[in-house]
Amino acid sequence: MHPCLREPGSFNESYGWKHRIKIKMANYRTQLKAHGTSAELTVNSLKSKSREEAYPAKKVKRPRRAEVNHFPSLPSGETTESMEQERVSLLGELQKRNNRQTIKEKMAKTFGYRRQEIVHKQPSIEDILEKWPALFQMEEINAEFMRVTTVPLETKFLAQLDKHSSKLLEVIRSKGGRVKEQTTRTLQVLDETVDITIRRECILKSLMIYLGEPVEHLIKENQDMQENEADQLEQATMAIFVTGGEDPSHPPKDIKIVIDGKQVLNEAPSVPTAVAMFFGLTYALNLKYPKNLQYTLEFVQKVLMELGGKKMSPKVHRLSTQLYMDPFI
């Protein structure tokens, strides 16, 4: 801070400035709410809630996982009716070939309308699939995550996984007991290959075991899914299905993502990419983390993606500390 801006008598020489800015922003938000010009503020007002839910603390729509654009406003000059027309037009564009750029532009334009619907109305996965099928393309999952968080999804996920891979392996290999027993086969596959995709997959599986979450809760590997596929899909709340991946040296026949028994993405190029898309969909669809995957997804969010990492669960915080620990201390 410049010497002339220092506040005499303050314990950190800036407390008064910070408090004043906080009050000014609170007043500004109050004015925006009164004028009804900010969707993020008006959605939580009692006027916008039903009579049964008209309580200040009930069903508050606010960012909980470091979302930057959690409830954006509609584009300037647009209404819900004009945005609905854009959505219908988008469905028509999806039927055309070589139309990627137009779809990209219309998805960006309708972001506020789509996001308000998903956060406020909380439609089912089936309804979202019907109204917004383009949202379940890999390119659009990456784009939607970027719009919500301002952070690139797939590129950062893989880069951060590679960055921490050696330290992660060091921490995992140092464990004995259950972790050592359950990761032996996976780490053996990792040691026998130089394929970066297979190595990433092995690291992710070992990470889940280290965090105490069975791999099959997220990645369900099946040699042949045709016989019981429908039953398995109905039972799966959120999971990645890998078909024909029994030989680690050969790529699987198919990798698909299932949410609420509905197949939302197939033909993912690899398991690590599918995990990134799976994580991105929790943001794009405003979904809570499944309880049986909460530590794995928390690690991805706060350590790999560096989103909202100030407050972590003890288990994830301990692992994060080990990753950044100086080996010479």
Side-chain angles (χ1 to χ4, degrees), residues 5-21:
L5 295 177
R6 290 175 181 169
E7 180 187 21
S10 171
F11 72 96
N12 62 357
E13 299 182 330
S14 63
Y15 178 78
W17 287 103
K18 181 179 178 181
H19 187 64
R20 177 58 178 162
I21 292 173

Side-chain angles (χ1 to χ4, degrees), residues 100-255:
R100 177 73 203 124
Q101 185 59 33
T102 303
I103 294 171
K104 180 179 178 181
E105 291 172 358
K106 286 185 175 294
M107 285 294 288
K109 185 176 181 179
T110 56
F111 168 62
Y113 177 61
R114 178 173 58 256
R115 187 69 182 173
Q116 288 186 18
E117 179 182 353
I118 289 174
V119 174
H120 189 47
K121 297 183 180 179
Q122 299 177 339
S124 66
I125 298 300
E126 187 175 4
D127 290 340
I128 300 175
L129 270 169
E130 182 180 350
K131 296 186 69 174
W132 302 99
L135 183 58
F136 299 92
Q137 299 174 356
M138 281 185 52
E139 296 89 344
E140 287 305 325
I141 296 173
N142 276 301
E144 194 81 350
F145 187 85
M146 185 74 172
R147 286 188 279 263
V148 173
T149 66
T150 71
V151 174
L153 174 59
E154 185 179 358
T155 53
K156 181 159 187 176
F157 174 82
L158 297 177
Q160 287 288 95
L161 184 61
D162 292 342
K163 173 185 174 182
H164 294 295
S165 59
S166 57
K167 194 66 178 179
L168 264 174
L169 287 173
E170 180 183 326
V171 172
I172 293 169
R173 291 183 194 274
S174 67
K175 294 290 287 186
R178 175 192 61 82
V179 174
K180 183 176 182 179
E181 179 182 347
Q182 296 181 10
T183 58
T184 299
R185 173 59 184 155
T186 302
L187 293 178
Q188 182 181 348
V189 173
L190 182 145
D191 293 334
E192 293 174 353
T193 184
V194 294
D195 189 320
I196 185 62
T197 299
I198 297 176
R199 291 180 65 86
R200 286 168 175 165
E201 180 180 343
C202 292
I203 292 171
L204 286 169
K205 290 179 177 179
S206 300
L207 170 66
M208 290 191 67
I209 295 171
Y210 180 87
L211 293 172
E213 295 175 338
V215 175
E216 57 270 18
H217 284 176
L218 175 62
I219 305 170
K220 299 180 183 292
E221 297 181 343
N222 298 274
Q223 295 184 14
D224 188 1
M225 289 179 53
Q226 294 181 357
E227 295 182 2
N228 302 315
E229 184 173 18
D231 294 337
Q232 291 185 22
L233 292 180
E234 289 179 3
Q235 294 173 4
T237 303
M238 293 179 69
I240 297 170
F241 282 80
V242 181
T243 308
E246 59 274 6
D247 185 356
S249 61
H250 292 82
K253 295 178 182 178
D254 189 22
I255 302 173

Side-chain angles (χ1 to χ4, degrees), residues 279-307:
F279 176 74
L281 282 169
T282 65
Y283 274 76
L285 305 177
N286 196 39
L287 300 174
K288 293 181 179 179
Y289 295 154
K291 289 186 178 180
N292 57 0
L293 296 172
Q294 61 179 348
Y295 295 118
T296 300
L297 294 177
E298 182 189 352
F299 180 87
V300 172
Q301 174 198 328
K302 297 180 178 179
V303 180
L304 297 185
M305 302 303 294
E306 299 176 325
L307 292 168

